[in-house]
Amino acid sequence: MADVTEYKCPACGGTMEFDSNLQKMKCPYCDTVMEVSEYQKLQEEQEEAKNKDPWHNQSTTTWEEKDGMRIYLCQSCGGEILADETTSATTCPFCGNRVTMKEQFSKDLKPDYVIPFKFDKKYAKGAYVSHLQGKSFLPKCFKEENHIDEMKGIYVPFWVFDIDVNANIKYNAQQIRSWRSGDKEYTETSYFSIHREGSVSYQHIPTDSSKKMDDTLMESIEPYNFKDAVPFQTAYLAGYLADRYDVDTKETIDRAKERVEKGTEKLFQNTVNGYDLVQKNTGIVNVTNAKYWYTLYPVWILNTTWKGEKYTFAMNAQTGKFVGDLPVDYQAFTRFVIGFGCMLSILVVAITYFMFH
């Protein structure tokens, strides 16, 4: 038997939300404000009292599975909330009641940490508008005709890793020197074998653990600052959507190792300086110690459609970093290339003229 958690205001009974500006729980109806820990304690006390109550309304807590979807019954209005099997927090479509699905946070499904939202929907809309500015080859009509189809604040599940590695990498390098003596030109190539060995420690490497989210999109809004992470409490989810992880743990670990290996190889190669050509010969990167945590990170997702194509944008709701692909006005781009080519040709002709006259 599954259950949902509601976020009722203790003063007026309205729906409480986590306010990203105040970093507190706030009721939009009576403006009651409470600390998250204070509200969480109140929730626990109400849950304890509910469990002691011998009278249980079973009809408000049942759910069914249908084709990978689940149906929850809202405890406020009795309406059915349809969600997929990984949804952890959502809103009742009938009364707007904010709820979390308790079974999604039981046992090993409970996150260790959460980074609360720092930026609200208004800020995310402004970031989207700013993202469209200054794009020379963005079709003008895209700004005028484009409308946001969907905008949602989501707590995305991540496994966050601390990893220590030992690396041993060898490179082949060349230095090339050319000079002219009389009518002859000489080239001297020197060959080198370079060895780098050392240890590197990585902290809080995130790996997206939701199949719904594009890994490249999630990595593009990094980094997150883990210093803002706090022990998980469901109250932080009030007013937002949330998913639980559904990516296999082994796949997540493999992804973290891949990122660490690439990062280590890049870090070591950046120390090989003063050569004209550098190629990796052999390389070994071994993980010596690793630990990880289940964490929820805040993301604003915006979807828009233009000329039948869907464009997705994402904003890191902790730092405000905004990313997303945009359409290109190829006619404007072609005009720019032709114009630039003509200007360059004229400049070359002018320089040649003055050099020989």
Side-chain angles (χ1 to χ4, degrees), residues 167 169 171 196 200 202 258-273 278 280 285:
I169 304 177
Y171 304 91
R196 292 288 186 267
V200 185
Y202 294 88
E258 180 185 351
R259 297 191 68 183
V260 166
E261 288 170 0
K262 288 183 178 179
T264 302
E265 290 179 358
K266 183 177 180 180
L267 182 66
F268 277 35
Q269 183 157 342
N270 287 341
T271 69
V272 183
N273 301 311
V278 177
K280 188 180 77 171
V285 179

Short mmCIF file of all heavy atoms in Angstrom, two decimals, residues 167 169 171 196 200 202 258-273 278 280 285:
data_model
loop_
_atom_site.label_atom_id
_atom_site.label_comp_id
_atom_site.label_asym_id
_atom_site.label_seq_id
_atom_site.Cartn_x
_atom_site.Cartn_y
_atom_site.Cartn_z
N ALA A 167 47.82 7.20 -11.79
CA ALA A 167 47.95 7.19 -13.25
C ALA A 167 49.41 7.06 -13.66
O ALA A 167 50.31 7.60 -13.00
CB ALA A 167 47.35 8.45 -13.84
N ILE A 169 51.26 7.38 -17.42
CA ILE A 169 51.02 7.66 -18.83
C ILE A 169 52.33 8.02 -19.52
O ILE A 169 53.13 8.80 -18.99
CB ILE A 169 50.00 8.80 -19.01
CG1 ILE A 169 48.69 8.47 -18.27
CG2 ILE A 169 49.70 9.04 -20.48
CD1 ILE A 169 47.65 9.56 -18.32
N TYR A 171 54.12 9.38 -23.25
CA TYR A 171 53.83 10.13 -24.47
C TYR A 171 55.02 10.09 -25.42
O TYR A 171 56.18 9.99 -24.99
CB TYR A 171 53.54 11.61 -24.14
CG TYR A 171 52.42 11.82 -23.16
CD1 TYR A 171 52.68 11.90 -21.78
CD2 TYR A 171 51.11 11.97 -23.58
CE1 TYR A 171 51.67 12.11 -20.87
CE2 TYR A 171 50.08 12.18 -22.68
CZ TYR A 171 50.37 12.25 -21.32
OH TYR A 171 49.36 12.46 -20.42
N ARG A 196 54.79 10.42 -17.34
CA ARG A 196 54.09 11.12 -16.25
C ARG A 196 53.45 10.09 -15.34
O ARG A 196 52.78 9.16 -15.80
CB ARG A 196 53.03 12.06 -16.80
CG ARG A 196 53.59 13.26 -17.57
CD ARG A 196 54.24 14.25 -16.64
NE ARG A 196 54.65 15.46 -17.34
CZ ARG A 196 55.86 15.66 -17.84
NH1 ARG A 196 56.78 14.69 -17.77
NH2 ARG A 196 56.14 16.80 -18.45
N VAL A 200 45.70 11.50 -8.32
CA VAL A 200 44.74 12.59 -8.41
C VAL A 200 43.50 12.23 -7.59
O VAL A 200 43.06 11.07 -7.61
CB VAL A 200 44.32 12.87 -9.87
CG1 VAL A 200 43.41 14.10 -9.95
CG2 VAL A 200 45.54 13.06 -10.76
N TYR A 202 39.50 13.28 -6.99
CA TYR A 202 38.34 14.01 -7.50
C TYR A 202 37.24 14.01 -6.45
O TYR A 202 37.01 13.00 -5.77
CB TYR A 202 37.80 13.35 -8.77
CG TYR A 202 38.76 13.40 -9.94
CD1 TYR A 202 39.72 12.41 -10.12
CD2 TYR A 202 38.69 14.43 -10.87
CE1 TYR A 202 40.59 12.45 -11.21
CE2 TYR A 202 39.56 14.48 -11.95
CZ TYR A 202 40.51 13.49 -12.11
OH TYR A 202 41.38 13.53 -13.17
N GLU A 258 34.78 6.67 -16.47
CA GLU A 258 35.13 7.21 -17.79
C GLU A 258 35.46 8.70 -17.70
O GLU A 258 36.43 9.18 -18.29
CB GLU A 258 33.96 6.99 -18.75
CG GLU A 258 34.21 7.53 -20.16
CD GLU A 258 32.98 7.40 -21.06
OE1 GLU A 258 32.01 6.74 -20.65
OE2 GLU A 258 33.01 7.97 -22.16
N ARG A 259 34.65 9.44 -16.94
CA ARG A 259 34.89 10.87 -16.79
C ARG A 259 36.21 11.14 -16.07
O ARG A 259 36.96 12.06 -16.42
CB ARG A 259 33.73 11.53 -16.03
CG ARG A 259 32.39 11.46 -16.73
CD ARG A 259 31.37 12.35 -16.06
NE ARG A 259 31.71 13.76 -16.25
CZ ARG A 259 31.01 14.76 -15.73
NH1 ARG A 259 29.93 14.52 -15.00
NH2 ARG A 259 31.36 16.02 -15.94
N VAL A 260 36.49 10.34 -15.04
CA VAL A 260 37.72 10.51 -14.28
C VAL A 260 38.94 10.18 -15.14
O VAL A 260 39.96 10.87 -15.09
CB VAL A 260 37.69 9.63 -13.02
CG1 VAL A 260 39.07 9.51 -12.39
CG2 VAL A 260 36.71 10.22 -12.00
N GLU A 261 38.85 9.11 -15.91
CA GLU A 261 39.97 8.72 -16.78
C GLU A 261 40.28 9.81 -17.80
O GLU A 261 41.44 10.17 -18.02
CB GLU A 261 39.66 7.39 -17.48
CG GLU A 261 39.70 6.19 -16.54
CD GLU A 261 39.16 4.93 -17.19
OE1 GLU A 261 38.76 5.01 -18.37
OE2 GLU A 261 39.14 3.88 -16.52
N LYS A 262 39.23 10.33 -18.45
CA LYS A 262 39.44 11.39 -19.44
C LYS A 262 39.99 12.65 -18.77
O LYS A 262 40.88 13.31 -19.32
CB LYS A 262 38.11 11.71 -20.14
CG LYS A 262 37.65 10.63 -21.11
CD LYS A 262 36.37 11.06 -21.82
CE LYS A 262 35.92 10.00 -22.83
NZ LYS A 262 34.67 10.39 -23.52
N GLY A 263 39.48 12.97 -17.59
CA GLY A 263 39.96 14.15 -16.88
C GLY A 263 41.41 14.03 -16.48
O GLY A 263 42.19 14.98 -16.58
N THR A 264 41.81 12.83 -16.04
CA THR A 264 43.20 12.59 -15.63
C THR A 264 44.14 12.67 -16.82
O THR A 264 45.22 13.29 -16.75
CB THR A 264 43.33 11.22 -14.94
OG1 THR A 264 42.45 11.17 -13.81
CG2 THR A 264 44.76 10.98 -14.48
N GLU A 265 43.75 12.05 -17.94
CA GLU A 265 44.58 12.10 -19.14
C GLU A 265 44.76 13.53 -19.63
O GLU A 265 45.88 13.92 -20.02
CB GLU A 265 43.96 11.23 -20.23
CG GLU A 265 44.02 9.73 -19.94
CD GLU A 265 43.38 8.90 -21.02
OE1 GLU A 265 42.84 9.50 -21.98
OE2 GLU A 265 43.42 7.65 -20.92
N LYS A 266 43.70 14.32 -19.59
CA LYS A 266 43.79 15.72 -20.01
C LYS A 266 44.68 16.51 -19.05
O LYS A 266 45.50 17.34 -19.48
CB LYS A 266 42.39 16.34 -20.07
CG LYS A 266 42.38 17.77 -20.57
CD LYS A 266 40.96 18.30 -20.68
CE LYS A 266 40.95 19.74 -21.19
NZ LYS A 266 39.57 20.29 -21.31
N LEU A 267 44.53 16.26 -17.75
CA LEU A 267 45.32 16.95 -16.73
C LEU A 267 46.81 16.66 -16.92
O LEU A 267 47.64 17.58 -16.87
CB LEU A 267 44.85 16.51 -15.34
CG LEU A 267 45.54 17.16 -14.15
CD1 LEU A 267 45.22 18.66 -14.09
CD2 LEU A 267 45.10 16.49 -12.85
N PHE A 268 47.15 15.39 -17.15
CA PHE A 268 48.55 15.02 -17.32
C PHE A 268 49.12 15.58 -18.63
O PHE A 268 50.26 16.05 -18.66
CB PHE A 268 48.69 13.50 -17.29
CG PHE A 268 48.77 12.93 -15.90
CD1 PHE A 268 48.05 13.49 -14.86
CD2 PHE A 268 49.56 11.83 -15.63
CE1 PHE A 268 48.11 12.97 -13.57
CE2 PHE A 268 49.64 11.29 -14.34
CZ PHE A 268 48.90 11.86 -13.31
N GLN A 269 48.33 15.51 -19.70
CA GLN A 269 48.84 15.99 -20.99
C GLN A 269 49.10 17.49 -20.96
O GLN A 269 49.98 17.98 -21.66
CB GLN A 269 47.87 15.63 -22.12
CG GLN A 269 48.40 16.04 -23.50
CD GLN A 269 47.77 15.23 -24.63
OE1 GLN A 269 47.22 14.16 -24.40
NE2 GLN A 269 47.88 15.73 -25.84
N ASN A 270 48.34 18.22 -20.15
CA ASN A 270 48.56 19.67 -20.04
C ASN A 270 49.90 20.01 -19.40
O ASN A 270 50.34 21.17 -19.45
CB ASN A 270 47.42 20.31 -19.23
CG ASN A 270 46.12 20.39 -20.00
OD1 ASN A 270 46.11 20.29 -21.22
ND2 ASN A 270 45.02 20.55 -19.30
N THR A 271 50.55 19.01 -18.78
CA THR A 271 51.87 19.25 -18.18
C THR A 271 53.00 19.00 -19.18
O THR A 271 54.16 19.26 -18.88
CB THR A 271 52.09 18.35 -16.95
OG1 THR A 271 52.23 16.97 -17.37
CG2 THR A 271 50.94 18.46 -15.96
N VAL A 272 52.66 18.46 -20.36
CA VAL A 272 53.67 18.18 -21.38
C VAL A 272 53.72 19.37 -22.33
O VAL A 272 52.95 19.45 -23.29
CB VAL A 272 53.34 16.88 -22.13
CG1 VAL A 272 54.45 16.55 -23.13
CG2 VAL A 272 53.15 15.72 -21.16
N ASN A 273 54.62 20.31 -22.04
CA ASN A 273 54.67 21.57 -22.78
C ASN A 273 55.99 21.70 -23.54
O ASN A 273 56.98 21.02 -23.24
CB ASN A 273 54.52 22.75 -21.82
CG ASN A 273 53.21 22.70 -21.05
OD1 ASN A 273 52.16 22.50 -21.64
ND2 ASN A 273 53.28 22.88 -19.73
N VAL A 278 52.52 16.10 -29.68
CA VAL A 278 52.47 15.19 -28.52
C VAL A 278 51.38 14.16 -28.77
O VAL A 278 50.24 14.50 -29.11
CB VAL A 278 52.17 15.95 -27.21
CG1 VAL A 278 52.04 14.97 -26.05
CG2 VAL A 278 53.24 16.98 -26.92
N LYS A 280 49.79 10.37 -27.08
CA LYS A 280 49.84 9.40 -25.98
C LYS A 280 50.30 8.05 -26.52
O LYS A 280 49.80 7.58 -27.54
CB LYS A 280 48.47 9.26 -25.31
CG LYS A 280 48.52 8.41 -24.05
CD LYS A 280 47.16 8.29 -23.39
CE LYS A 280 46.29 7.29 -24.13
NZ LYS A 280 45.03 6.98 -23.41
N VAL A 285 45.10 4.25 -15.88
CA VAL A 285 44.49 5.02 -14.80
C VAL A 285 43.72 4.04 -13.92
O VAL A 285 42.74 3.45 -14.37
CB VAL A 285 43.55 6.11 -15.34
CG1 VAL A 285 42.92 6.88 -14.17
CG2 VAL A 285 44.29 7.06 -16.27
#
